[in-house]
Structures are given as structure tokens and as C-alpha cells.
Amino acid sequence: FPSLKSNELFDFLNKTKYDICIQGGTGIINQKIISCFKIGILNFHPGDLPYYRGSSAPEWQLWEKKQIISTCHLVDLGIDSGPILEKKVLDVNYESYFALRASIYPRIASFVGDTIEKILRKISYKTEIGFIDQDNSKAKYRKYIGEKKISHLIKNFSN
């Protein structure tokens, strides 16, 4: 499809009637597309929401000496602001900054599989999936951390 805003995409999704979607690196999705899914669109954000919204979440968690946590949440019209389903501490590789970065998405992929299995079990047993609204008073939007801080993180692994 030419874009997330294309009528062709909307027509396709509206026709197929999917229950759920997994979003990955697409940017902001409009309400017209969000509403095409019975349950919604899941995002597996590489940050502990609501504390690490926006970009460079793994770097900010590392910078602040926190565990690298991924959050599964429903996509809404905000940035990483939708209701949370689940969080997972990622067992990342701390040998170097680059090893850590390279290990994040394979761990998230495993989190995706486990979460989808849980959702399917809940659907088959007709139980509540259990999304919880984020506490927006604790939300912190993060901008790109910047090359200077990334260089510092890289050097800290060397020491």
C-alpha cells in the first residue's frame, strides 16, 4: 500500500475484519486504520511505559541505569500512550553497547510470540484480555538521546 493513510489500505483492512494487528516501526497510525481491528493494534515498545515514551527508550533506560523493559500496549492516537497489556524485562546482551542494541529486537520478537499466545488463549476461553490505562502523570516523552550520550554509553562498556 502506498501509505498508512491510503484508501486502498483502509478498504483492504475493512474487508478482511482482522481482530488484532502488530505494529512495527510504522509511525503514527490514524483512527480510521486503528478502528479496523476488533481488539486493536499492538505495539511492543522497547521502553518501560509510561516512563520512557518516544524515541531512544533503550538508551535512556541504560543512561538512567534501569533494566531494559519492553511494554506491549494498544496503539492510540498518542505517542506510546495507549493502554498497557504487559511488560517484560528483556534479557539483553550487556557485553557491549552494540551487542545490547542487537539483542533487543530478537528478545522483543519472543515477547510478541508469548503475548499473542496468551491473547489467543484468553479469546478462546472468552476471558478479558486486561488492558490497563497508563498513568499519564508519570509519562515522560523522550527525544533522540543524541550522539554525545551514545558515545558515552559505548565508552562505558569499554571500561
Side-chain angles (χ1 to χ4, degrees):
F1 300 98
S3 82
L4 288 172
K5 296 177 182 174
S6 74
N7 286 329
E8 297 90 354
L9 174 59
F10 174 73
D11 292 341
F12 172 78
L13 293 173
N14 209 28
K15 230 185 321 180
T16 53
K17 307 274 186 227
Y18 290 111
D19 287 336
I20 199 163
C21 173
I22 300 169
Q23 179 266 354
T26 60
I28 304 299
I29 299 173
N30 66 42
Q31 187 60 47
K32 186 176 173 180
I33 298 298
I34 293 170
S35 64
C36 288
F37 299 92
K38 182 178 175 184
I39 295 170
I41 300 174
L42 296 179
N43 180 33
F44 289 80
H45 178 69
D48 184 7
L49 295 178
Y51 312 102
Y52 295 91
R53 289 182 180 174
S55 79
S56 301
E59 284 80 9
W60 282 115
Q61 290 171 107
L62 194 58
W63 184 261
E64 294 177 0
K65 297 179 177 19
K66 305 288 185 186
Q67 292 179 301
I68 307 298
I69 293 175
S70 178
T71 305
C72 173
H73 70 98
L74 278 176
V75 170
D76 63 8
L77 294 177
I79 299 170
D80 300 323
S81 59
I84 293 172
L85 177 60
E86 192 169 10
K87 294 183 183 192
K88 180 176 178 85
V89 175
L90 299 179
D91 181 23
V92 293
N93 183 340
Y94 286 98
E95 289 178 20
S96 71
Y97 168 77
F98 300 105
L100 179 138
R101 242 0 210 129
S103 69
I104 289 172
Y105 288 99
R107 302 309 191 274
I108 290 177
S110 175
F111 181 30
V112 170
D114 294 345
T115 303
I116 294 300
E117 282 183 25
K118 288 176 188 174
I119 289 171
L120 292 174
R121 279 195 302 273
K122 288 181 180 202
I123 290 170
S124 68
Y125 289 111
K126 297 182 182 351
T127 58
E128 183 76 23
I129 293 175
F131 291 96
I132 299 170
D133 289 335
Q134 292 188 43
D135 182 348
N136 288 319
S137 71
K138 296 179 179 175
K140 186 161 185 185
Y141 286 94
R142 310 293 177 130
K143 61 181 183 179
Y144 174 62
I145 197 165
E147 295 302 318
K148 189 174 180 179
K149 282 187 172 85
I150 289 175
S151 292
H152 182 77
L153 290 172
I154 292 168
K155 286 178 190 171
N156 277 354
F157 276 102
S158 310
N159 297 332

